[in-house]
């Protein structure tokens, strides 16, 4: 059995979707962030100074950071090199370590610019589509936020400890973040304070570790941060909960020169051995495809909103307009209870809730196969705004055409506000990272030639670059119809690419020429 199939089987046995636990190797893999020692070395005056600190600290990097921060403090306040940052951030220097923290964050932020072309684009595309509950990370960079921009971020141990996270659709940056330089866990003093609070952090995260698969990426099995947290969690669990914990721990490791494998292993803790699952592979795409294959009915972001509202209902005495109860007097027992969960549901709109349950896939089916009898007004009023919170790629022109809206003027005069889904130009539907490849491999080709020459995914991302005169809508419709099942596939990027192409088709067949970008 392949590692993908083995991991799918493993994850399907779990009651909940996974959390990712990301370490420094994850950032090295995708944005080229240097190892911690190399990052610190960049802020020494010269190689000899760094080696001196390394020797003085007995190779203990947090102690090296403490020594380096003390030395860097005076340099930062005196050298012309840092004049501009002194003007901007002088009031934010709270102690002698702040200058080093700031400059490290400035450097890291330059590597995690969302516009930067990242490594391994297929893996990055797959990461964006993952079916996960949330992320825990000790990384400082902002790359994970670019992958999950709708997830709520908690920065630092204290923010997580003294907040009310919903454990879904969230990112926990437990070692701080480059967006807040004083939040970094950097020096030996930072680690000492962090470790003192580790039992409280473990208590906050214990339910996650017992109830969710935790997929570790970018860590060595011997990593002290991981071992410390697992030790704190395991120390308070009964044997049956320990058994559940061990089934949930999945470590993804590089295979290097070895073959890909799926196996069991052991983490040795002071009180005993903890069994874990180890997946080794140089290609992480099968791992991400396995995680994505375990479907959920609602996006994590929407589920978090629902949990937050339910939390507020329980906490407050006045739920105001947040809850709507229908026929409460007719409920005799639990079998009479039915729940409708929605966002922004009001009593006067309860009769139209069916249109809030329509999926984006249903709209694509209706666009291409015309196998639904949808009310265009309800689609535009109810379905598109709700679906649009998760994606901008939804077919809307077909439904606007029902109201004879076939120009920008007619749209502006209508009651609809769907600007998020209106393209100014066709690059709205194009995937920028494929532009160079298209120019090299397919520029000047028509749709028929592209479909014949390239695989489904490549054809789907190339066709949006085709000029309007070479866009044969009948051929594109046939191509999309024949691949309609792939609109819901777990294969990396294919679903997204086909949906974008379907929106291009919707635009060319039912839309109108937009204003050009300035």
């Amino acid at each position: 059995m392949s590692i993908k199939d083995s991991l799918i089987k493993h994850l399907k046995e779990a009651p909940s979707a996974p959390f990712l636990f990301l370490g420094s190797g994850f950032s090295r893999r995708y944005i080229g962030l240097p190892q911690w020692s190399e990052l610190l070395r960049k802020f020494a005056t010269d190689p000899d100074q760094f080696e001196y600190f390394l020797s003085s600290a007995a190779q203990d990097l947090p102690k090296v950071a403490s020594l380096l921060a003390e030395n860097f403090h005076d340099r930062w306040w005196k050298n012309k090199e840092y004049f501009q940052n002194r003007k901007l951030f002088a009031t934010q220097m709270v102690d002698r370590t702040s200058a080093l923290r700031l400059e490290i964050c400035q450097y890291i932020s330059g590597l995690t610019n969302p516009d930067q072309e990242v490594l391994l684009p297929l893996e990055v595309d797959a990461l964006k589509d993952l079916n996960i509950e949330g992320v825990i990370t000790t990384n400082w960079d902002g790359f994970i936020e670019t992958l999950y921009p709708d997830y709520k971020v908690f920065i630092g141990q204290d923010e997580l400890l003294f907040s009310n996270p919903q454990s879904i659709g969230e990112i926990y940056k437990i070692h701080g973040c480059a967006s807040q330089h004083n939040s970094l866990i950097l020096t030996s003093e930072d680690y000492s304070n962090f470790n003192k609070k580790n039992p409280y952090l473990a208590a906050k995260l214990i339910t996650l570790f017992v109830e969710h698969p935790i997929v570790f990426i970018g860590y060595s099995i011997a990593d002290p941060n991981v071992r410390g947290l697992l030790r704190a969690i395991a120390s308070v669990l009964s044997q049956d909960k320990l058994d559940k914990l061990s089934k949930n721990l999945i470590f993804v490791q590089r295979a290097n020169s070895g073959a890909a494998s799926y196996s069991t292993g052991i983490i040795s803790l002071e009180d005993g051995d903890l069994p874990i699952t180890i997946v080794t592979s140089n290609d992480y795409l099968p791992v991400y495809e396995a995680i994505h294959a375990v479907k959920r009915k609602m996006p994590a972001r929407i589920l978090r909103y629902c949990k937050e509202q339910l939390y507020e209902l329980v906490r407050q005495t006045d739920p105001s307009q947040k809850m709507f109860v229908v026929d409460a007097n007719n409920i005799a027992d639990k079998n009479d209870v039915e729940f409708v969960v929605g966002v922004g549901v009001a009593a006067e709109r309860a009769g139209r809730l069916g249109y809030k349950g329509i999926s984006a896939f249903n709209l694509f089916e209706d666009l291409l196969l015309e196998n639904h009898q949808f009310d265009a007004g309800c689609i535009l009023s109810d379905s598109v705004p709700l679906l649009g919170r998760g994606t901008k790629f939804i077919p809307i022109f077909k439904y606007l055409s029902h109201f004879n809206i076939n120009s920008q003027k007619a749209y502006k005069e209508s009651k609809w506000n769907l600007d998020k889904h209106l393209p100014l130009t066709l690059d709205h539907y194009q995937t920028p990272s494929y532009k160079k490849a298209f120019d090299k491999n397919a520029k000047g080709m028509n749709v028929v030639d592209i479909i014949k020459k390239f695989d489904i995914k490549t054809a789907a991302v190339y066709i949006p670059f085709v000029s309007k005169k070479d866009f044969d809508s009948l051929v594109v419709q046939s191509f999309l119809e024949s691949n309609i099942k792939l609109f819901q596939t777990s294969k990396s990027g294919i679903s997204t690419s086909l949906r974008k192409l379907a929106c291009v088709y919707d635009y060319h067949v039912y839309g109108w020429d937009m204003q050009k970008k300035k």
Side-chain angles (χ1 to χ4, degrees):
M1 188 181 292
S2 68
I3 60 170
K4 176 180 174 179
D5 291 338
S6 297
L7 194 52
I8 289 175
K9 183 176 182 295
H10 187 130
L11 295 174
K12 283 188 173 180
E13 293 173 354
S16 305
F19 261 74
L20 299 185
F21 202 133
L22 305 178
S24 59
F26 182 85
S27 296
R28 283 199 299 277
R29 185 177 183 88
Y30 297 113
I31 60 172
L33 195 68
Q35 293 183 344
W36 192 19
S37 60
E38 294 306 310
L39 181 64
L40 293 176
R41 189 186 298 272
K42 291 179 181 295
F43 297 95
T45 54
D46 54 58
D48 286 345
Q49 184 192 56
F50 182 78
E51 294 301 330
Y52 171 73
F53 288 152
L54 198 60
S55 174
S56 300
Q59 312 295 312
D60 185 323
L61 289 177
K63 290 182 180 178
V64 171
S66 296
L67 294 172
L68 183 60
E70 179 68 26
N71 176 271
F72 189 80
H73 172 79
D74 291 334
R75 276 196 287 135
W76 190 85
W77 283 101
K78 295 176 181 177
N79 288 11
K80 292 181 179 179
E81 178 183 356
Y82 304 110
F83 173 75
Q84 190 60 37
N85 278 352
R86 286 199 298 271
K87 286 179 61 178
L88 294 172
F89 302 107
T91 59
Q92 298 179 29
M93 300 295 105
V94 298
D95 59 33
R96 295 181 67 86
T97 69
S98 292
L100 179 61
R101 296 176 194 276
L102 172 69
E103 295 303 327
I104 286 175
C105 291
Q106 295 279 297
Y107 172 78
I108 290 175
S109 296
L111 293 178
T112 56
N113 187 320
D115 295 329
Q116 179 177 323
E117 185 175 343
V118 296
L119 305 173
L120 304 170
L122 287 179
E123 290 189 7
V124 172
D125 284 347
L127 278 163
K128 292 177 181 178
D129 287 337
L130 283 194
N131 176 25
I132 57 171
E133 301 282 60
V135 179
I136 307 166
T137 182
T138 53
N139 295 344
W140 299 328
D141 61 86
F143 178 60
I144 196 65
E145 289 94 317
T146 69
L147 297 178
Y148 307 108
D150 293 324
Y151 282 31
K152 186 172 182 178
V153 181
F154 294 82
I155 296 175
Q157 210 177 21
D158 286 346
E159 187 169 312
L160 181 57
L161 290 176
F162 297 104
S163 301
N164 293 297
Q166 302 302 313
S167 302
I168 187 167
E170 295 171 339
I171 299 170
Y172 308 143
K173 307 193 79 169
I174 59 177
H175 276 195
C177 179
S179 64
Q180 299 178 16
H181 64 270
N182 283 317
S183 71
L184 301 191
I185 303 299
L186 173 68
T187 66
S188 57
E189 294 78 15
D190 294 333
Y191 274 92
S192 177
N193 291 331
F194 182 90
N195 291 333
K196 287 178 183 177
K197 298 178 182 177
N198 220 15
Y200 302 104
L201 178 64
K204 197 80 171 183
L205 298 179
I206 194 167
T207 303
L208 296 183
F209 277 72
V210 173
E211 296 185 354
H212 299 265
I214 310 294
V215 182
F216 293 83
I217 304 174
Y219 287 105
S220 161
I221 293 176
D223 187 282
N225 295 312
V226 173
R227 292 171 63 84
L229 185 57
L230 290 179
R231 185 184 306 114
I233 291 173
S235 66
V236 297
L237 293 179
S238 59
Q239 186 57 51
D240 63 322
K241 293 294 192 295
L242 272 175
D243 292 340
K244 290 183 67 175
L245 173 65
S246 65
K247 292 177 183 177
N248 285 344
L249 303 178
I250 302 168
F251 282 78
V252 179
Q253 308 276 287
R254 287 177 59 88
N256 296 319
S257 58
S261 65
Y262 178 93
S263 61
T264 57
I266 293 291
I267 289 184
S268 295
L269 303 176
E270 282 76 357
D271 297 329
D273 293 337
L274 189 62
I276 60 172
T277 299
I278 302 175
V279 179
T280 59
S281 178
N282 291 323
D283 179 9
Y284 287 4
L285 193 56
V287 174
Y288 300 150
E289 289 177 343
I291 296 172
H292 182 66
V294 184
K295 296 288 187 182
R296 70 158 67 255
K297 293 183 183 290
M298 293 178 66
R301 170 180 56 84
I302 300 299
L303 288 174
R304 177 171 56 79
Y305 294 159
C306 293
K307 286 190 71 175
E308 285 178 339
Q309 292 294 350
L310 289 172
Y311 174 81
E312 290 300 318
L313 285 172
V314 172
R315 190 175 67 88
Q316 297 179 4
T317 58
D318 179 16
S320 185
Q321 301 298 315
K322 299 299 185 183
M323 182 167 62
F324 177 56
V325 181
V326 182
D327 293 331
N329 293 330
N330 295 327
I331 296 174
D333 59 38
K334 66 179 182 181
N335 295 319
D336 292 332
V337 178
E338 291 184 354
F339 292 93
V340 175
V341 179
V343 178
V345 177
E348 65 271 16
R349 300 176 65 190
R352 293 165 59 181
L353 283 175
Y355 279 87
K356 290 181 177 291
I358 289 173
S359 69
F361 178 68
N362 294 147
L363 298 187
F364 287 114
E365 282 186 311
D366 189 46
L367 171 69
L368 300 169
L369 306 177
E370 297 188 350
N371 59 351
H372 296 289
Q373 298 296 320
F374 290 144
D375 181 297
C378 290
I379 290 292
L380 295 173
S381 294
D382 299 333
S383 304
V384 172
L386 183 58
L387 293 170
R389 296 181 182 184
T391 178
K392 62 183 177 181
F393 301 113
I394 301 173
I396 60 168
F397 290 106
K398 175 180 177 177
Y399 303 107
L400 288 170
S401 71
H402 280 265
F403 300 95
N404 296 316
I405 298 175
N406 52 21
S407 69
Q408 193 69 4
K409 182 175 182 295
Y411 166 72
K412 289 296 184 183
E413 292 174 351
S414 75
K415 65 179 181 178
W416 314 113
N417 181 15
L418 306 169
D419 290 1
K420 176 180 178 180
H421 309 290
L422 290 176
L424 294 178
T425 59
L426 275 177
D427 60 7
H428 178 84
Y429 303 117
Q430 295 167 354
T431 305
S433 59
Y434 285 89
K435 180 65 168 65
K436 290 182 180 178
F438 171 79
D439 289 342
K440 179 180 178 182
N441 301 320
K443 193 169 185 178
M445 295 174 64
N446 60 32
V447 170
V448 174
D449 293 335
I450 289 174
I451 292 172
K452 285 181 179 179
K453 182 173 181 180
F454 300 102
D455 60 63
I456 295 171
K457 163 73 180 297
T458 304
V461 294
Y462 280 178
I463 292 174
F465 291 102
V466 169
S467 64
K468 186 172 183 178
K469 68 180 179 62
D470 292 323
F471 188 93
D472 188 324
S473 59
L474 291 178
V475 173
V476 173
Q477 181 184 14
S478 177
F479 172 71
L480 291 170
E481 281 183 18
S482 63
N483 293 295
I484 191 72
K485 291 183 179 179
L486 294 178
F487 278 58
Q488 294 184 300
T489 184
S490 61
K491 292 183 179 179
S492 173
I494 292 181
S495 173
T496 300
S497 302
L498 287 170
R499 290 177 182 227
K500 281 186 180 180
L501 179 56
C503 289
V504 178
Y505 168 82
D506 178 52
Y507 171 59
H508 280 311
V509 174
Y510 298 102
W512 58 86
D513 289 334
M514 299 289 173
Q515 61 186 2
K516 295 187 180 298
K517 284 184 177 179
K518 295 181 180 179

